[in-house]
Amino acid sequence: ELISEAIIQNPLKEIEGAKNFLSALTHNSEFDIVFATGSLFNPAKLKLEQVGISIPDTLLISANQIFSRDELVLKAIATAKVFYSNNAYEQIISFGDGLWDYETSKNINIDFIGINNEKLQEYNVPSFYLNYRDNELSKRLNIKKATHVDPDFIVKAMGKISEAFLKNGILTFRQATKFIQNLPYGRNSNKNDLASLFTDNCGTCSTKHAILKQLADENNFTD
């Protein structure tokens, strides 16, 4: 409650370029994104929402029930593997602005990129950038400017399919397309009930396209 009141008086600002950087990772590269934070869940969610970053609740791993920093990040990695149906990653990179972020990355043997906090340079962090707009950062990850912008909208509880996506922590159409893209291929138990994709945890080309079309229709989105 105190945080909610404080940020009304002093609105938070993203680290420069963070929102666009996340969008570029999502749409231009083979990256899966998950958040790990030493914050409690509600304050972390509130902060992200205030700077215009929406993510499924399941991809925000917080300190509500995890007290070890190493375990927080390991839980985030395990969550990403399940959510994106990816059993193995060629590379895992942690972004952070604190010394504990760097130390945790070393402890669990993943790569680290320091952001924003210049004090990190005092600890000989090998990769550091002042913000997410740095062209060298984009070059390092081979991120190119988008030539096509996928359609997007905020999902509202406008029908059965919309409610099914929201129940699974999927808040936007882009998140829905990412989720459906990563569902394994498989025949559905009831192709006339598109919500079966969630219980079956799979879909065919036809049912995957159909559920996204139904989601758009329920939200009166025609683009």
Side-chain angles (χ1 to χ4, degrees), residues 5 34 40 65-66 73 77 79 81 88 91 98 102 107 109-110 132-133 143 175 184 193 201 205 209 218:
E5 294 171 3
V34 64
L40 296 175
Q65 296 177 326
I66 303 175
V73 179
I77 295 168
T79 298
K81 289 180 178 179
Q91 184 181 26
Y102 178 46
N107 291 343
N109 197 31
I110 62 175
Y132 289 100
R133 292 188 185 278
I143 300 172
Q175 291 171 358
D193 180 10
N201 194 37
C205 298
H209 282 89
E218 287 182 1

Side-chain angles (χ1 to χ4, degrees), residues 54-142:
S54 297
I55 62 166
D57 288 356
T58 52
L59 292 181
L60 180 56
I61 309 304
S62 65
N64 289 55
Q65 296 177 326
I66 303 175
F67 309 112
S68 158
R69 289 166 173 170
D70 292 6
E71 289 178 7
L72 262 174
V73 179
L74 289 171
K75 173 66 174 177
I77 295 168
T79 298
K81 289 180 178 179
V82 172
F83 186 88
Y84 296 108
S85 300
N86 193 340
N87 292 325
Y89 288 108
E90 294 180 7
Q91 184 181 26
I92 298 174
I93 304 172
S94 172
F95 290 81
D97 63 359
L99 179 59
W100 82 265
D101 299 310
Y102 178 46
E103 294 292 343
T104 298
S105 298
K106 290 195 296 183
N107 291 343
I108 63 175
N109 197 31
I110 62 175
D111 292 323
F112 178 75
I113 292 178
I115 291 288
N116 191 52
N117 182 4
E118 294 186 65
K119 288 186 177 180
L120 286 174
Q121 294 176 296
E122 298 175 10
Y123 300 104
N124 298 315
V125 173
S127 297
F128 175 80
Y129 302 90
L130 285 175
N131 56 55
Y132 289 100
R133 292 188 185 278
D134 194 309
N135 289 330
E136 292 303 316
L137 175 58
S138 296
K139 289 179 182 178
R140 172 177 173 173
L141 299 180
N142 196 28

Side-chain angles (χ1 to χ4, degrees), residues 167-191:
K167 185 178 179 180
N168 283 271
I170 298 167
L171 309 178
T172 70
F173 187 69
R174 286 182 185 170
Q175 291 171 358
T177 58
K178 182 77 171 179
F179 173 80
I180 293 299
Q181 177 187 356
N182 285 295
L183 276 182
Y185 181 88
R187 300 289 177 183
N188 295 108
S189 55
N190 182 1
K191 66 179 182 180

Side-chain angles (χ1 to χ4, degrees), residues 18-39:
K19 185 177 178 180
N20 288 337
F21 180 76
L22 283 170
S23 179
L25 282 180
T26 301
H27 298 106
N28 296 98
S29 304
E30 296 298 321
F31 285 87
D32 294 337
I33 300 168
V34 64
F35 289 74
T37 174
S39 166

